[in-house]
Amino acid sequence: MEGPSIVILKEEVQLFNGKEVQHVKGYGKFNHKRMLHKKVIYFKSWGKQFLVCFDGFTLWIHFGLFGSYKISATKTINAKLSLVFDNGELNCYVCSIKFIDEPLDEVYDWRLDMLSEKWNPKYVKQVLMEKKEDVQIGDLLLDAKIFSGVGNIIRNEVLYRTKVHPESLLGKIPSRKITEIIRQTHLYSLDFLKWRKRGELAKHWKVYKQTTCDKRHPVIKKDTGKTKRRSFICETCMVKYD
DNA sequence: ACGGTTGTTAGGCC
DNA sequence: AGGCCTAACAACCG
């Protein structure tokens, strides 16, 4: 699940805002009692991390590659975590769970969360430029500590939009291009959010899982960089800065 | 039916 | 110390 999907989850659980947890269930090995009979103060997110805030601590949930959730409904598989309220329940499947005891402002820099109102492209660039020059931009876009919320779909589509090859090296990409990439992670995330809500995300993919690009050039599939994640590349349209 | 995957962390090894 | 690698998670889609 990428950042925008977590924002949608946050919107969907608003009916539990301020509500007391009646039961805590699930096979996850964590302290269930910690949430029992406690009130949810609010829900937050930082990139792909979903945060359920209680008085004095936060429940951290990450859905990773296989995770999913249901609200007031269940799947056939067992829930790792189930928070039951008097008006419904949140069921989480195949996710990572932990507690955060520090204040969230000490743990998270909201300037890096592309779907936060505090998102700051200049600051993102500053953090990005502290990285080594020979690192591939494709790898950097998957660094959740820089591009919080970007996943493999957003990464591929942003690189196609900006016409930058994923194997381009940070130190070789023109500064303006870097700024454009950063700006597009934000803009594409907003599009992702809009399209996902309409259930038409895949319809708008230009390269991700495509065999040809907009201009009908072939799109090649390649596992790139240290992250070895699937990249979709139009060798004609995209420039490799190396 | 089975290979691929919208992702991250933990831990071992050098 | 820190980079690099792998396993784990264990569902779902085509």
Side-chain angles (χ1 to χ4, degrees), chain A residues 4 10 13 20 28 34 65 67 71 81-82 84 103 115 128 135 162-163 169-170 210 212 222:
Chain A
K10 212 164 57 176
V13 293
E20 183 185 308
R34 196 150 184 206
L65 214 45
I71 291 163
L81 164 71
S82 183
V84 182
L115 288 164
L128 181 62
V135 181
T162 54
K163 304 290 180 275
L169 307 179
L170 179 64
Q210 306 303 302
T212 56
K222 186 181 180 190

Side-chain angles (χ1 to χ4, degrees), chain A residues 194-233:
Chain A
K194 176 178 71 190
W195 292 329
R196 168 50 54 99
K197 282 181 181 176
R198 293 182 190 157
E200 56 181 41
L201 185 62
K203 200 169 99 182
H204 298 276
W205 288 339
K206 302 286 189 191
V207 280
Y208 185 75
K209 289 190 175 168
Q210 306 303 302
T211 51
T212 56
C213 78
D214 258 2
K215 295 182 178 169
R216 300 191 184 171
H217 304 134
V219 168
I220 62 154
K221 259 193 314 194
K222 186 181 180 190
D223 294 341
T224 62
K226 291 195 175 164
T227 49
K228 294 191 175 71
R229 293 293 298 277
R230 189 69 99 214
S231 291
F232 295 85
I233 305 162

Side-chain angles (χ1 to χ4, degrees), chain A residues 177-209:
Chain A
K177 228 7 168 184
I178 303 266
T179 303
E180 194 187 333
I181 291 168
I182 293 168
R183 197 182 320 124
Q184 281 299 337
T185 61
H186 181 233
L187 294 175
Y188 191 84
S189 295
L190 296 176
D191 281 336
F192 186 121
L193 187 60
K194 176 178 71 190
W195 292 329
R196 168 50 54 99
K197 282 181 181 176
R198 293 182 190 157
E200 56 181 41
L201 185 62
K203 200 169 99 182
H204 298 276
W205 288 339
K206 302 286 189 191
V207 280
Y208 185 75
K209 289 190 175 168

Side-chain angles (χ1 to χ4, degrees), chain A residues 63-75:
Chain A
F63 292 94
L65 214 45
F66 311 126
S68 62
Y69 65 89
K70 286 278 183 187
I71 291 163
S72 304
T74 54
K75 301 180 72 163

Side-chain angles (χ1 to χ4, degrees), chain A residues 109-114 116-127 182 186:
Chain A
D109 193 324
W110 307 100
R111 292 175 293 178
L112 296 173
D113 176 9
M114 70 185 57
S116 160
E117 289 184 355
K118 293 179 181 158
W119 184 74
N120 183 331
K122 279 186 184 162
Y123 183 65
V124 174
K125 186 163 182 180
Q126 187 188 317
V127 173
I182 293 168
H186 181 233

Side-chain angles (χ1 to χ4, degrees), chain A residues 98-146:
Chain A
K98 66 180 183 184
F99 292 109
I100 296 176
D101 294 306
E102 297 84 9
L104 292 183
D105 287 346
E106 285 177 19
V107 180
Y108 297 114
D109 193 324
W110 307 100
R111 292 175 293 178
L112 296 173
D113 176 9
M114 70 185 57
L115 288 164
S116 160
E117 289 184 355
K118 293 179 181 158
W119 184 74
N120 183 331
K122 279 186 184 162
Y123 183 65
V124 174
K125 186 163 182 180
Q126 187 188 317
V127 173
L128 181 62
M129 299 322 282
E130 283 166 9
K131 296 288 167 180
K132 289 185 191 138
E133 291 193 344
D134 63 345
V135 181
Q136 295 184 9
I137 189 67
D139 282 342
L140 290 164
L141 279 164
L142 286 174
D143 186 335
K145 292 189 177 72
I146 308 171

Side-chain angles (χ1 to χ4, degrees), chain A residues 4-19:
Chain A
S5 300
I6 302 302
V7 170
I8 292 171
L9 165 59
K10 212 164 57 176
E11 290 174 10
E12 289 177 343
V13 293
Q14 284 312 305
L15 75 160
F16 304 135
N17 222 326
K19 288 276 180 182

Side-chain angles (χ1 to χ4, degrees), chain A residues 53 150 210:
Chain A
C53 306
V150 169
Q210 306 303 302

